[in-house]
Every structure is written in structure tokens, then in C-alpha cells.
Amino acid sequence: VFGILVQISDIFERRLQRLPLKVQGDKLGAFAQLGERYKLSMMAHEISIFADGVLSMDNSIIGGIEINPRKLLDEGLRKEMVRHVSKLLNSLLQFDFAANSETVASITKHQASTMRSLASLSRRLEGFQSALECIEDYVSIHGLKMWHEEFSRIINYNVEQEVNKYLLKKVLDADSAFQSDIVPIPRFPRVPNEPTCINFMGRMVSMLIKITDTQYTTFSVEKSGWFMNDGTEVCGLKTVSLLRHAIGVYGLTGIDRLLCYRILHELHRFVKFFRTNVTKEGVLLEQLRDELYPEWKTPIKAVSIYASASKKSEMLMLPMLTCFRRIGQAQLLRRMIRFELGRCSRIDAKTLLQSVSTLNASILSSENPFEESPPELKKYSDMSLAVGLGDPLQTVFMATDPLEGLPVLLLLCVIAYVPKLSYNPMFGSLSKNKSGYPIDGWPLIAGITTLLKQFHPSYSKSFLAYIGQFVRVSIATCFERKQMRKDVASQLTEDLRSILVLVDQFCDLSCIPKSALYEHVPQYVMEMCSDL
């Protein structure tokens, strides 16, 4: 039965043309494809004969075990379907990213190859799903229900196994809620090109991370995607849409979960780095904080204070930049995935979207939002994610003790890397001045935003206060440009504009009202930014 099913899926995928919404009468014969439809009907007839023979059998006892023919047919179809789909996912979702081939040309090449692989997978799985729906009446099964149950189990199992590399206590097959002895999900060896990835879900996340590498691309919120310097899009809404067509809603939520674990891993690494290395510079941070206090005043010899602190802490900046761009890159990918899920739910599942939104609002407005059991809350959370509710940048990933001096350290990080960025009007964002340098404006801002979201809101307020103080000092220095060389004054003006753009975009991502920003940076200064 399953062999015939595979042949039917091949006809749906490769030979049978899809009927458009409107067809001209004289062209209707071109869509008839009588030969293909005759083969389709013959195969469906063969399946009906097999199924009729199986379903007409009574329950029998063999070796002391009662055999139910209907249940046996259902389990057999599920087993073959899981094996076939798992093999497809493993074979088609392999991406040729060599360790020494990450250049602008290779990223464009691999991006095109990736899109072809996803398009091929989308056609194959769609054809198989259509074949399953075609025969469901002949074998008395719920084909679409079976497809969603088993496909979601395959995705969730592979996500669970991929997450194991971030966990101390691994989830084995015997403990997995998605593995089954009757309908087992096969495991495949790791591919040589991606030895760190356990299965196809890990390879997909790795592919997204590589084609959106900040060293070669620039992210644009207005255009919703990553672009090369020449404006070529490498990852955007079309990419995420194709990804959804290939692996469905279950696959997108699985990628979101893997990105969450990646972000949590980077946050833990940053906290460990702060307590191991930054704590040694506690005297420096404390001294700088005292010199800048209070934040609403302009300190005496502020330029020399900033220059001295930046020089003493320059060894800490590169690890922080690496952490922020990784976190920000993953958060921006999650944001695009959430947008795609929300867009699809508004079109294909309006009732479900409204129901989940109402349920979410009722839980949040109740006197005790946590009176529900943890499994129920997790179920509500998964449903909210599936319909695209919520802002990924507002996620709290961990609870940690306060890190003294973190806002001051973030100020030094901004001072160190703002000169390497400039406003790019083509993308509406800060982009790198020098091609090939691993920095980009939006991922850096998203990384800082995510880090500060893990702490008390006072950390964000302190960071804004220090940034505002630095802006005022920069403006005061600009007024002294007559005594400076012209090139120094010009560079200072460009850096001031970049930092004003950065703090404005930081407030947008952090959902901080502009009134809070105007407490530290006057509104007219922000409006003058575009004229600098």
C-alpha cells in the first residue's frame, strides 16, 4: 500500500499541474492530463482493493496476541510514512558550507543552493501530503490528521535531540515523549560538513546563522531582511516563507526553540565572562561611575575620562561584541519567524488567532495568572507561539544576580564600536564602515536589548542616562571644533549621529517610550540628528 502511495505522491509532485483559480475555456484541455489522472485512479483502485481485504478481516489471535487489522494498517502506514519523511528531511536538508569558504561569493552561492533545496523539499512533502489525503477515504483513515501528528512528532523529536548539546542532563530515546517503539523515528549519522549538528534541524539553524553572518551582511528593519553591501537580499521574508512551506509551522516553532537555547547559552557565557574577567576590573568601573556621577551633569575633563576608561577596558570589548552580535542575530531571526507565523495565522487561522489572543488576555488580567498548572501554561505558551503572538525581544531567558557596573561597561562598549559604524540610508540602519568587519548595527542593538531585559529595568535607565551624558559631552566638544582640525571635527560629528541613531533604535526595540529618552537627550537634539 505504501509503495503505491509513494507513486501517487510522485504524480502529484512532478506530473500533475495545479489548476489556477481561473482558466480560459479554450485552455481547459491542457489541464485535463487524462493519462496522469487515469494512472492516479488506477493506483487508488489498487489501494482500495488491498485496504478492503485488510479491513474485512476480523480480529484474530496469533501467539496469544490479539491482532486488529485496522490498527495494523494504521500503524504500518504511520511507520512507513515516518521513515520516508525522515529520510527526505535528512537527505534534502544538507548544506555545503565548508569551514574555509565563508566569503561574500560563497554565501551568495550557498544561499541560492539552500533556496533550491527548500523548494524541492516543499514540493516533495506537499505531494506526499496530497497523496495521503487522496487515499484516506479508500483505507478509512484520517490522512490529514495522521500527517500532522507524525510530522509534528518527527520535528519535535529532532529538536529535542538537537537541544541535548545545550543540556547537562540529556534526553535519551527511552525518556523521549516523541519516540515510539511501534512507530520509531529513525536517527541518521552526522554529516561531515556540519559535525556539530546532530540532525537536520541543527543544520537548518546553522544555515540561517551562516547566511546572515554580520561579517558580510547588513540587517534592515524597514526591509525586513539581511542584505549584502550591494543591496542583494540573502535572507528575508521570502526565505522564511519558503522555510514555512518546506517544514511547516512545526518546523518554524522548532527553529525558534533552538534559537532560544542558543541565546540562553550565550547569556550564560556572558555572565560567566563578566564574573571571571570583568569583576577584576571592578575598581576601574567603580572609579568611572564615581567620576560620571551624577549622570545629569557634564563632568570635568569628560573626554579624557572616556578615553582613559576605554583604553583600560579594550581587552574586554571583543568578547562582548561577539556575544552581542550572536544574541542579536538570533533574536532578529526569531522576530522574522514570529512575523511569518502571525501573518499565516491571520490568513489561514483567524478563529484560532482570536481565541488564543482572548485566552492570553484573560490569563494576564486574572488575579492570579499562575493558578494554572505548569503543563497548561506551557500549552498556552506553545499555542501563542504557533499563531505568532508576542515580541521575542521582550523574552526573559534567565534569572541571575545583579552584575555591578554593567551599564557603565555597556557604555564603554558603545563608545568603542560606534566609530566603526555609520548610518546607511539605503538600509535605514547602522552598517559597518569597513567591509569584512564582524559588526552590524541592529544585531548589536538587539543583543544589548536582550541582555538588559534579563535584569531590573533600572539597568536600562542607567544605560540611557550614561548614553545621554556621553551625547551631551560630544555636543559640547563639537562646539569647540573651531579649535580642532577639520577632519577631527567631522569624525566627531559622524560618531555623534551614529550614537543618536543607536540610542533611538535601542528605545524602539526595548519598547522604552521616547519621553524616557528625552529626559537624558533633549528632543531637539534628536531632531537635529538628521541634519548633522
Side-chain angles (χ1 to χ4, degrees):
V1 173
F2 196 83
I4 300 174
L5 181 65
V6 172
Q7 296 178 33
I8 293 176
S9 70
D10 183 70
I11 291 177
F12 273 110
E13 173 199 346
R14 300 181 181 180
R15 305 178 193 174
L16 208 61
Q17 297 182 35
R18 288 188 172 276
L19 285 173
L21 295 178
K22 294 182 180 180
V23 183
Q24 295 182 7
D26 57 342
K27 296 182 179 179
L28 190 59
F31 292 95
Q33 296 183 275
L34 300 179
E36 302 301 331
R37 296 187 187 278
Y38 176 74
K39 292 179 183 178
L40 197 62
S41 61
M42 287 294 294
M43 291 178 185
H45 178 65
E46 290 181 32
I47 286 182
S48 67
I49 293 175
F50 284 124
D52 186 58
V54 173
L55 297 177
S56 62
M57 295 172 59
D58 296 327
N59 292 358
S60 57
I61 298 177
I62 301 176
I65 301 175
E66 184 178 4
I67 303 298
N68 186 332
R70 184 181 295 273
K71 184 178 180 183
L72 189 65
L73 177 62
D74 181 86
E75 291 176 352
L77 282 174
R78 287 177 182 267
K79 184 176 180 179
E80 290 298 320
M81 186 186 78
V82 166
R83 184 185 63 81
H84 183 76
V85 172
S86 298
K87 188 176 179 180
L88 270 181
L89 291 168
N90 180 70
S91 61
L92 291 179
L93 296 179
Q94 294 187 16
F95 311 104
D96 186 19
F97 277 99
N100 58 351
S101 67
E102 292 185 18
T103 62
V104 174
S106 67
I107 286 199
T108 305
K109 174 185 174 184
H110 292 314
Q111 187 264 351
S113 175
T114 298
M115 295 305 103
R116 288 194 296 270
S117 298
L118 291 177
S120 175
L121 177 64
S122 175
R123 290 192 303 269
R124 299 284 293 274
L125 293 182
E126 188 176 357
F128 193 80
Q129 181 181 348
S130 300
L132 204 59
E133 293 178 26
C134 176
I135 68 161
E136 62 180 354
D137 291 334
Y138 300 106
V139 295
S140 298
I141 61 170
H142 300 287
L144 191 59
K145 179 182 178 183
M146 177 189 292
W147 169 264
H148 284 296
E149 288 177 351
E150 297 305 320
F151 191 74
S152 66
R153 198 165 64 89
I154 293 170
I155 295 294
N156 289 326
Y157 171 75
N158 283 278
V159 170
E160 184 181 69
Q161 295 305 307
E162 191 68 35
V163 164
N164 276 339
K165 64 184 179 183
Y166 297 110
L167 302 178
L168 294 177
K169 185 178 180 181
K170 314 296 183 184
V171 180
L172 304 178
D173 281 5
D175 304 324
S176 175
F178 307 107
Q179 187 60 283
S180 169
D181 293 331
I182 300 174
V183 188
I185 300 174
R187 299 188 64 172
F188 300 93
R190 305 187 187 193
V191 297
N193 290 335
E194 296 283 357
T196 59
C197 300
I198 299 174
N199 52 53
F200 66 89
M201 289 302 297
R203 294 197 293 271
M204 292 183 66
V205 173
S206 177
M207 175 270 296
L208 290 173
I209 294 297
K210 287 179 178 178
I211 67 174
T212 59
D213 190 354
T214 55
Q215 186 171 355
Y216 307 106
T217 62
T218 300
F219 182 77
S220 172
V221 168
E222 284 74 13
K223 296 184 177 182
S224 298
W226 277 266
F227 297 84
M228 294 293 188
N229 292 333
D230 59 356
T232 305
E233 181 180 304
V234 293
C235 182
L237 295 179
K238 291 182 180 178
T239 307
V240 181
S241 179
L242 183 57
L243 206 59
R244 179 185 60 81
H245 283 292
I247 58 175
V249 173
Y250 308 111
L252 285 185
T253 54
I255 291 176
D256 182 90
R257 184 182 174 192
L258 288 175
L259 290 172
C260 285
Y261 275 96
R262 177 182 173 88
I263 293 168
L264 180 61
H265 178 67
E266 291 295 333
L267 288 172
H268 282 307
R269 287 182 59 185
F270 177 82
V271 172
K272 183 179 179 181
F273 163 78
F274 191 95
R275 291 174 177 163
T276 304
N277 299 291
V278 180
T279 307
K280 299 176 182 177
E281 307 291 336
V283 176
L284 169 64
L285 296 180
E286 186 69 28
Q287 181 182 359
L288 178 60
R289 192 162 51 178
D290 292 341
E291 290 174 342
L292 298 180
Y293 182 83
E295 292 84 2
W296 53 268
K297 288 185 63 176
T298 302
I300 303 174
K301 297 181 180 180
V303 176
S304 61
I305 292 174
Y306 290 131
S308 174
S310 298
K311 186 175 181 180
K312 292 179 181 177
S313 61
E314 62 182 356
M315 297 298 293
L316 304 174
M317 295 298 108
L318 186 58
M320 291 178 60
L321 173 65
T322 303
C323 177
F324 292 153
R325 68 185 180 92
R326 287 177 179 174
I327 293 174
Q329 183 184 17
Q331 284 286 63
L332 294 173
L333 283 170
R334 290 185 65 218
R335 196 180 190 195
M336 292 183 65
I337 289 173
R338 197 69 61 93
F339 177 82
E340 175 66 18
L341 291 172
R343 185 187 68 84
C344 294
S345 63
R346 286 191 296 271
I347 297 173
D348 301 328
K350 294 181 182 179
T351 305
L352 177 62
L353 174 61
Q354 297 301 326
S355 301
V356 174
S357 301
T358 304
L359 176 63
N360 182 61
S362 65
I363 292 175
L364 293 177
S365 61
S366 61
E367 294 182 359
N368 185 10
F370 301 103
E371 63 182 357
E372 298 284 349
S373 60
E376 289 295 321
L377 287 177
K378 184 180 184 304
K379 181 180 178 182
Y380 299 154
S381 177
D382 292 342
M383 291 172 63
S384 299
L385 171 60
V387 297
L389 293 181
D391 183 5
L393 290 164
Q394 305 304 311
T395 306
V396 177
F397 290 95
M398 65 178 186
T400 183
D401 296 330
L403 299 180
E404 292 297 330
L406 178 61
V408 180
L409 187 66
L410 293 178
L411 169 68
L412 295 177
C413 181
V414 170
I415 294 174
Y417 289 111
V418 157
K420 303 181 185 299
L421 296 167
S422 61
Y423 182 74
N424 190 331
M426 182 170 69
F427 301 122
S429 63
L430 297 174
S431 61
K432 60 186 76 64
N433 292 328
K434 185 179 179 182
S435 179
Y437 195 81
I439 190 173
D440 189 23
W442 279 112
L444 176 63
I445 298 168
I448 294 175
T449 300
T450 304
L451 177 65
L452 289 174
K453 189 59 68 173
Q454 314 310 309
F455 299 94
H456 193 271
S458 61
Y459 278 59
S460 297
K461 294 180 180 178
S462 297
F463 176 65
L464 272 184
Y466 286 126
I467 290 290
Q469 188 181 46
F470 179 75
V471 168
R472 296 193 300 272
V473 169
S474 300
I475 291 174
T477 308
C478 281
F479 278 112
E480 300 172 2
R481 63 182 179 274
K482 291 183 179 180
Q483 286 76 29
M484 295 182 182
R485 298 198 314 271
K486 186 175 181 180
D487 56 341
V488 176
S490 176
Q491 179 62 38
L492 189 60
T493 305
E494 183 63 31
D495 293 347
L496 177 59
R497 182 184 184 186
S498 298
I499 201 167
L500 287 175
V501 172
L502 184 143
V503 72
D504 185 57
Q505 294 177 346
F506 169 78
C507 291
D508 290 339
L509 288 187
S510 303
C511 296
I512 295 176
K514 293 298 176 67
S515 58
L517 172 61
Y518 296 152
E519 292 178 5
H520 309 289
V521 181
Q523 182 176 358
Y524 66 86
V525 173
M526 298 298 299
E527 293 173 351
M528 289 170 56
C529 169
S530 58
D531 299 330
L532 289 177

